[in-house]
Amino acid sequence: RVVFRSAVPEVRVSINGTALPERMRAAAADAPAQFGDGDAETPRLVPSEATLRALLESGAMLPGRNAISYTPAMGGKGEGGEGSHGIGDGAAHSAVAHLHLWESSTAAVVFDVDGTVTQADISGHIGQQLGVPLLHRGVCELACRLEARGYAVFFLSARPLAGPTGIASTRHFLFRVARDSPSGFGLPPCPVLTTPHTSTLSALMDEVVLKASARFKADTLRRIASLFTPPQPASTAAAALPGDSAIADAPTAAAATAATATATAATATSPALEACGAVSPCRGGLYAGFGNRAKDATAYLSADIPPSHVFIINAKSRVALWSQGHGGGRQRGGEGVPTGGSGGGA
């Protein structure tokens, strides 16, 4: 998704420097640019399958992370998408983001941002504004170790597309500022998905007043899930996330080590994992999720992530299985809150 601050009749799109034959247009300010055959009801926001296939076959687009830019033919400053949502820096009147190409059998792990990567909702925003990484200890290492074991990590947040807390500043914070102490691990470069809101106020209205962020996350995850190869039979799909017995109710720093250190034991005791090999995860699609609130877990479960692969990081930087915390949780305002959990998060 890419938006411009004014109407743009023609937007040129390129991937890794190769211009696409298709052009986009932005009919109005802050409206998503779309390809010519889209309409208001069903806007087409991505290149056609034929165009992408041609780029892949020619070697212009590669597996993994690809640079994509949107350049107005006649001025205009753009803010645009990474994955399904994102924002560019507007340099040279272009919005720059990344297109991530994964195999349909890839096992993906989703992380919430506020309260999950950052220590809490408020401190995360303050830390971002000050350039100070107020993070859960070990969370960057955890993400890196999961990626090293073959999982595709991505972030999903209720933050807006544009504005001071938009995706440009969020990406800068996650990939330039965030560092574990004292290990020095940073977060792996990966997709960051946000709401389509173009102001912080409208995003907060959805989050705080309308309580719509859970629905946004659930809808986004279901769309992502539909892109993957259907999960394997339940006997295989239920295989444990490597090291999850050690991850449950462990500090994030310890969980990061557990994700790798117990891999051999997990593989040896799980026929499903053993069949897949020590490195590659078994179940393609949305494989696991990390959040800090009940609404995160609800969104992950609605996208068919197994309950045994849904994890909650609480205010003390401890990781627990949602199924365990929820079973012994307390009710607050009709929302299940795992014992020891924290408020805040998007």
Side-chain angles (χ1 to χ4, degrees):
R1 177 182 294 265
V2 58
V3 298
F4 292 88
R5 293 307 189 189
S6 59
V8 181
E10 182 178 310
V11 181
R12 296 168 182 157
V13 185
S14 66
I15 295 179
N16 295 334
T18 299
L20 272 60
E22 301 177 276
R23 301 291 174 88
M24 302 183 79
R25 60 183 176 84
D30 291 334
Q34 57 184 293
F35 288 94
D37 56 352
D39 54 47
E41 293 296 323
T42 56
R44 186 162 70 86
L45 307 179
V46 299
S48 67
E49 182 177 345
T51 295
L52 292 176
R53 188 177 300 278
L55 288 170
L56 185 60
E57 292 174 350
S58 69
M61 185 171 66
L62 303 171
R65 194 168 184 247
N66 297 267
I68 182 168
S69 65
Y70 306 86
T71 305
M74 297 176 61
K77 184 173 180 178
E79 305 187 26
E82 174 162 307
S84 61
H85 299 290
I87 187 168
D89 59 11
H93 303 296
S94 293
V96 180
H98 297 91
L99 184 152
H100 295 258
L101 181 62
W102 295 341
E103 294 287 345
S104 62
S105 57
T106 297
V109 177
V110 56
F111 277 79
D112 172 47
V113 176
D114 294 309
T116 302
V117 174
T118 64
Q119 292 173 355
D121 185 17
I122 300 301
S123 64
H125 285 280
I126 293 173
Q128 178 170 307
Q129 294 301 314
L130 298 178
V132 179
L134 300 176
L135 312 175
H136 286 296
R137 181 173 175 268
V139 70
C140 296
E141 183 177 355
L142 172 61
C144 287
R145 290 191 182 277
L146 287 171
E147 186 184 59
R149 287 199 37 82
Y151 298 94
V153 175
F154 70 98
F155 297 98
L156 176 62
S157 173
R159 292 186 179 196
L161 175 71
T165 60
I167 197 170
S169 55
T170 298
R171 285 198 312 219
H172 177 82
F173 178 77
L174 291 175
F175 306 130
R176 301 283 185 88
V177 177
R179 290 291 183 276
D180 277 341
S181 178
S183 70
F185 273 87
L187 291 168
C190 57
V192 180
L193 310 181
T194 72
T195 71
H197 292 296
T198 55
S199 74
T200 301
L201 181 61
S202 59
L204 285 174
M205 180 68 71
D206 253 14
E207 171 75 7
V208 178
V209 179
L210 302 178
K211 307 293 185 183
S213 63
R215 185 171 64 250
F216 155 73
K217 289 184 176 182
D219 290 345
T220 300
L221 289 171
R222 283 193 289 266
R223 289 199 301 271
I224 293 173
S226 70
L227 302 174
F228 289 91
T229 299
Q232 297 181 24
S235 59
T236 299
L241 183 70
D244 67 2
S245 59
I247 287 177
D249 199 27
T252 48
T257 302
T260 297
T262 65
T264 303
T267 303
T269 57
S270 169
L273 286 175
E274 187 173 14
C276 294
V279 177
S280 299
C282 274
R283 182 181 186 271
L286 295 176
Y287 189 82
F290 289 81
N292 74 305
R293 298 187 68 180
K295 65 179 181 180
D296 296 323
T298 299
Y300 300 160
L301 294 170
S302 74
D304 292 330
I305 295 177
S308 59
H309 294 178
V310 174
F311 299 90
I312 294 296
I313 301 178
N314 68 18
K316 296 181 180 180
S317 299
R318 299 187 69 85
V319 183
L321 282 171
W322 164 254
S323 56
Q324 293 178 353
H326 188 257
R330 58 187 183 276
Q331 295 293 318
R332 180 186 301 164
E335 181 182 68
V337 181
T339 303
S342 66

